Amino acid sequence: MLPFDGPTWLAILGQYNTAIWPLHGIGALLALAAVGLVVPGSRPAGRVIGLLLGVLWIWTGVAFFGGSLAPFHFASEWLAGVFVAQGVMLVFALTLMGQARFGWSGGLAGSGAVLMIVYALVGYPLLDLALTGTPWTQLQYVGVAPGPVMLLTLGLLLLVPSRPPLVLAIIPLLWALVTGYMAWGLDLPLEYLPALLGIASFAVLVALRFRHRERRLFR
């Protein structure tokens, strides 16, 4: 069971948003920059995308889980470490190793990527605002909150057309599962949608990975 209820979770988000204002704008700009860098489709652009995503994960781990959530959740330090580890892995795999190229691939992966990215950028806060009446101060915003950062990352990974780096999607998948549990435990039904999107995108990444392997075997 979670050590707090739905209103307390929203209050934690409200305290966090108030404390970091106006860094939401910087987080959104970094997220938009990462999406925009998909267009060149080059390895240098992929390296910058990895760096930007890594910064967002590390910030969320340190500031949200290690800071605002710490007084309310016994596992906050562990969660902070997991998010920081994901950020470090993104930087290592995409920036330092620099092997991934991002680009529009069309089909199911491309459509899924657009859905994930749009939901992360604007859908997450606007749907909460419109359907649940959650105040602006208690919404999750891209670049600084765990849900939108998870969706943004999975959406961008869907735009790696050749051999998607599946290992980089494991922690985002785990957070999607946690989001689903929180939707049930905190009675926040709208959180089921990002949870389902995260799980579905991971399934598509697995399918893409195996399809790429089969193509290599039959060449």
Side-chain angles (χ1 to χ4, degrees):
M1 297 294 293
L2 292 165
F4 45 74
D5 56 12
T8 303
W9 168 252
L10 294 177
I12 293 168
L13 287 171
Q15 292 176 4
Y16 171 65
N17 286 329
T18 301
I20 68 169
W21 177 263
L23 295 179
H24 307 76
I26 296 176
L29 287 175
L30 294 180
L32 288 171
V35 174
L37 285 167
V38 171
V39 176
S42 63
R43 283 200 175 94
R47 291 189 181 98
V48 179
I49 291 173
L51 178 62
L52 295 175
L53 289 177
V55 168
L56 299 183
W57 278 85
I58 292 169
W59 167 264
T60 305
V62 173
F64 180 70
F65 290 107
S68 295
L69 191 65
F72 302 92
H73 200 295
F74 62 92
S76 61
E77 292 185 1
W78 182 83
L79 291 169
V82 170
F83 267 65
V84 170
Q86 173 70 13
V88 171
M89 286 194 298
L90 285 164
V91 172
F92 177 79
L94 300 179
T95 303
L96 299 180
M97 299 298 291
Q99 297 301 314
R101 291 177 181 267
F102 293 79
W104 172 255
S105 57
L108 180 61
S111 301
V114 171
L115 176 60
M116 299 284 286
I117 291 170
V118 170
Y119 196 96
L121 292 174
V122 297
Y124 221 115
L126 292 185
L127 284 180
D128 257 339
L129 182 69
L131 299 181
T132 67
T134 303
W136 283 100
T137 55
Q138 296 180 347
L139 299 174
Q140 293 194 56
Y141 297 100
V142 69
V144 295
V149 168
M150 174 267 292
L151 292 179
L152 175 68
T153 302
L154 289 172
L156 287 171
L157 291 178
L158 285 171
L159 295 177
V160 181
S162 61
R163 203 166 181 267
L166 196 59
V167 67
L168 298 179
I170 293 175
I171 290 177
L173 169 67
L174 293 177
W175 186 251
L177 296 173
V178 170
T179 301
Y181 176 71
M182 291 175 65
W184 171 76
L186 301 181
D187 192 24
L188 299 172
L190 197 56
E191 290 296 312
Y192 283 117
L193 183 53
L196 291 173
L197 286 174
I199 294 168
S201 66
F202 184 83
V204 173
L205 283 168
V206 172
L208 290 173
R209 185 64 177 264
F210 278 98
R211 186 175 68 181
H212 177 78
R213 183 176 297 177
E214 288 176 359
R215 286 177 177 175
R216 291 184 62 185
L217 287 174
F218 289 102
R219 280 180 181 175

